[in-house]
Amino acid sequence: MTPEHVVRQFFEQVRSGKHPDFANQFMAEQVLAHQIESEEEQTVSRTPKDYADHVVEMMDAYGHFSLEIQECLAAGDKVYVRWKQTGTHVGEVNGYQPSGLPVIQLASAVYRVENEKIAEYWIQIDREGIQKQLEYNKSRTDS
């Protein structure tokens, strides 16, 4: 499988929430996840089980969300993906009680594939945009 095929199948099967338990088919035993939180770079090590649990947590918060790949570019062992995730706020998120209203996440990541498995990725998520949506939805349900 090409790196692009690995990442596309990972999105289709795992990241989409359809089959989070398939993470071990697409991820190395230890994956370096480079993330930005409040402009602070941090790297965590994730296992396929950790990632599957993360997807289940997203489903607990946003229900069965839709996931649309808006851009996918591959070069060598790296694959860039930009996506739009649309869900419904059905579980507590950052202290916000469920509103039943839509929440959209825009994000992108570069995945490095080694031996047909994701070994590392660099991700950026519009967390401020999510926060503003949660605040707006709260104001709509408090009325």
Side-chain angles (χ1 to χ4, degrees), residues 10-117:
F10 168 75
F11 266 78
E12 174 67 28
Q13 298 298 321
V14 179
R15 181 64 182 73
S16 67
K18 290 180 185 171
H19 302 286
D21 52 324
F22 288 7
N24 63 345
Q25 294 179 26
F26 303 100
M27 299 179 79
E29 289 182 24
Q30 293 292 318
V31 176
L32 292 177
H34 306 279
Q35 306 173 34
I36 298 175
E37 183 82 40
S38 299
E39 302 307 316
E40 293 287 327
E41 291 183 47
Q42 54 183 296
T43 300
V44 297
S45 183
R46 288 187 181 252
T47 66
K49 178 166 181 353
D50 294 337
Y51 198 87
D53 292 346
H54 172 63
V55 172
V56 170
E57 288 171 3
M58 282 191 292
M59 293 170 60
D60 290 344
Y62 301 113
H64 291 282
F65 52 83
S66 68
L67 186 67
E68 172 193 354
I69 292 178
Q70 296 181 318
E71 185 97 43
C72 184
L73 304 168
D77 65 350
K78 293 196 175 130
V79 180
Y80 165 82
V81 181
R82 178 173 43 85
W83 67 91
K84 177 181 180 180
Q85 176 179 310
T86 305
T88 302
H89 184 194
V90 296
E92 185 179 329
V93 177
N94 299 336
Y96 289 91
Q97 294 304 310
S99 66
L101 297 170
V103 175
I104 296 171
Q105 176 193 85
L106 300 174
S108 63
V110 173
Y111 296 87
R112 186 177 65 79
V113 176
E114 183 178 292
N115 299 321
E116 297 187 348
K117 297 216 175 186

